[in-house]
Amino acid sequence: MRILVALDYYYPHWTGLTAYAKRIAEGLAQRGHSVTVLASQHESYLPIQETINNVRVVRVPIAGRFSRGVIMPLFPIIAAQLVRETDVIHIHTPMPETIILTALGRLFSKPSLVTHQGDVVMPKGFKNQIIQQGVRVLSLGLHVSNYVVVHNADYGRHSTFLQQFKHKLGAIYPPVILPEPDLEAIVQKKRDLGIEDKKIIGFAGRFVEEKGFDILLQAMPLVKQAVPDVHFVFAGEINVVYEKFYESCHPMIEANKDILTPLGLLHSPQDLANFYAMCDIFALPSRTDCFPSVQIEAMVCGTPSVTTDIPGAREAVQVTGMGKLVPPLDPQALAEGLIHMVSDPTVYKTRWEKARQVFDPAASIEAYEHILQQLDQRVPIMPLAEVESAH
């Protein structure tokens, strides 16, 4: 098949959404399909066209930015040309241009698949709430699409946004690909950080409100009181240009600086694997999260998670048994969960092979290939409710 993949930010931009999209695109290319990615030229130094791991990447110049989004005046023209050349379109949302792509798909009789990677959740503030309501135009694009996939059935059942598409909604676990952790490098890294004799709790991601890091910061002193040799390490992006959440958390960060080490954004897959394996426990205090890649990556590297009991995020713990669920927005409950697990994580760590079986990247790519082929051949696909009842 000739497959057009579309999203706003592609590699070298790095978020869970981008990582999933890149792995799916490259996995399909490895299976012999012709894959083109259409994305923004989010940094001026990036080439307009290049090939990355057998995937053709076409970038659209941007005229400006609006919160998390980019403004691309040439997008409709370039998209129309690429849609004409393709067999099937695969769009990763949230993406405001979804309606353009799905409409072009209808115009040129090209079926479209949307992978919805999470509902739009903006921080507090009048401007951001206007943006959040405005992004609901995204629903028009999903209405025009032929099929919608979400990362897990739990999120699909509980998302009020997705209920309008339940007649054409499916679920596929995203592909998680990391190398084996380097044990010698991990020992050296702990030594370099001066935490080789500590019980280590890790957390990672963009420092934004929806990730709930302020809840974890409030829980840290409580954990320290019960576990004096605890230490927290954070891997991720702090300077998030569209949100000033880090600045609001800075007083709590300073208050916890004796037990907290920021590592910055880790680009290397090997460094990521080593980070996860270095931790005794991984903390996921999210307010909302569809299917956070950081939690799954931690699990496949052998590290169990204390996760807030919210739709989507909780499924990884439920299907692997590799962690503990705690109520959201509750620093005390989060602290108690971390104290319980960090005191004896062995029973949870032994289940990491289950995580690798459940989150098999080859199975994910094969499932995407199957749906895209069904769309290309105009074969009807069962919605999520019928798939579940069939099983």
Side-chain angles (χ1 to χ4, degrees):
M1 292 177 292
R2 296 170 299 170
I3 304 168
L4 176 63
V5 178
L7 67 162
D8 279 334
Y9 294 93
Y10 196 66
Y11 181 84
H13 183 84
W14 208 243
T15 61
L17 187 156
T18 301
Y20 288 156
K22 183 173 184 288
R23 291 166 186 163
I24 295 167
E26 292 178 0
L28 291 168
Q30 289 173 1
R31 288 173 172 261
H33 303 289
S34 175
V35 181
T36 298
V37 168
L38 175 62
S40 70
Q41 187 190 27
H42 61 272
E43 297 290 351
S44 59
Y45 69 84
L46 294 171
I48 295 297
Q49 290 198 42
E50 65 175 323
T51 299
I52 303 173
N53 295 334
N54 296 317
V55 172
R56 176 192 178 201
V57 181
V58 177
R59 299 189 179 91
V60 182
I62 67 172
R65 300 177 186 273
F66 188 68
S67 186
R68 301 182 187 185
V70 289
I71 301 169
M72 299 180 284
L74 295 178
F75 186 89
I77 298 171
I78 297 173
Q81 178 182 343
L82 293 176
V83 168
R84 287 193 192 97
E85 300 169 356
T86 197
D87 296 317
V88 62
I89 309 164
H90 185 193
I91 307 162
H92 293 271
T93 60
M95 183 183 188
E97 297 81 9
T98 298
I99 182 58
I100 297 174
L101 289 161
T102 54
L104 287 169
R106 293 285 182 176
L107 178 64
F108 297 116
S109 298
K110 311 291 185 174
S112 57
L113 166 68
V114 171
T115 293
H116 184 67
Q117 301 216 26
D119 299 346
V120 176
V121 179
M122 297 295 292
K124 298 174 183 177
F126 180 71
K127 177 182 175 182
N128 285 328
Q129 292 310 304
I130 290 177
I131 294 170
Q132 180 162 317
Q133 295 303 316
V135 171
R136 293 190 181 278
V137 71
L138 173 67
S139 65
L140 297 176
L142 271 69
H143 277 296
V144 178
S145 70
N146 296 88
Y147 200 67
V148 180
V149 163
V150 70
H151 288 323
N152 64 87
D154 180 41
Y155 192 86
R157 285 191 298 267
H158 290 88
S159 165
T160 54
F161 175 77
L162 289 174
Q163 293 313 298
Q164 57 192 312
F165 311 111
K166 60 184 180 181
H167 62 287
K168 57 176 180 180
L169 181 66
I172 301 175
Y173 285 149
V176 176
I177 303 172
L178 281 178
E180 293 286 340
D182 184 336
L183 299 183
E184 290 185 8
I186 291 170
V187 170
Q188 184 60 51
K189 185 66 174 180
K190 288 182 178 180
R191 188 177 297 121
D192 293 343
L193 295 173
I195 56 174
E196 63 267 33
D197 58 345
K198 302 292 186 180
K199 293 180 178 178
I200 302 172
I201 298 175
F203 62 113
R206 292 171 296 121
F207 216 103
V208 292
E209 185 176 0
E210 66 192 87
K211 300 300 181 183
F213 295 147
D214 55 327
I215 309 299
L216 179 58
L217 288 166
Q218 294 173 60
M220 285 181 185
L222 304 175
V223 179
K224 167 74 171 177
Q225 186 176 4
V227 187
D229 59 344
V230 75
H231 197 85
F232 294 81
V233 290
F234 169 71
E237 183 182 6
I238 290 175
N239 185 25
V240 180
V241 296
Y242 53 78
E243 193 168 325
K244 302 302 180 184
F245 183 62
Y246 178 82
E247 285 83 346
S248 68
C249 292
H250 195 262
M252 288 187 289
I253 294 171
E254 284 296 305
N256 288 298
K257 64 181 180 182
D258 60 323
I259 57 169
L260 172 59
T261 298
L263 303 177
L265 188 61
L266 303 179
H267 296 277
S268 161
Q270 187 64 65
D271 288 344
L272 271 173
N274 294 350
F275 161 73
Y276 292 123
M278 177 177 71
C279 301
D280 296 295
I281 301 294
F282 188 80
L284 191 86
S286 299
R287 288 176 164 83
T288 178
D289 233 324
C290 176
F291 209 46
S293 60
V294 290
Q295 177 185 216
I296 308 169
E297 289 170 348
M299 288 180 175
V300 300
C301 290
T303 302
S305 175
V306 174
T307 299
T308 47
D309 190 359
I310 57 175
R314 62 192 173 199
E315 180 153 333
V317 172
Q318 291 173 333
V319 298
T320 64
M322 201 172 171
K324 183 176 179 61
L325 298 177
V326 297
L329 305 176
D330 189 336
Q332 180 68 45
L334 178 60
E336 290 173 359
L338 292 170
I339 292 165
H340 168 76
M341 282 191 58
V342 81
S343 300
D344 185 16
T346 308
V347 64
Y348 299 97
K349 281 180 173 287
T350 56
R351 300 170 184 167
W352 69 273
E353 289 188 357
K354 172 71 172 176
R356 292 207 166 191
Q357 292 171 1
V358 171
F359 304 116
D360 177 8
S364 296
I365 302 301
E366 185 176 347
Y368 270 106
E369 181 184 45
H370 180 63
I371 285 183
L372 290 167
Q373 286 172 334
Q374 287 181 296
L375 290 173
D376 185 35
Q377 297 165 9
R378 277 50 174 186
V379 175
I381 310 172
M382 284 194 300
L384 183 60
E386 293 182 28
V387 172
E388 289 180 328
S389 62
H391 286 279

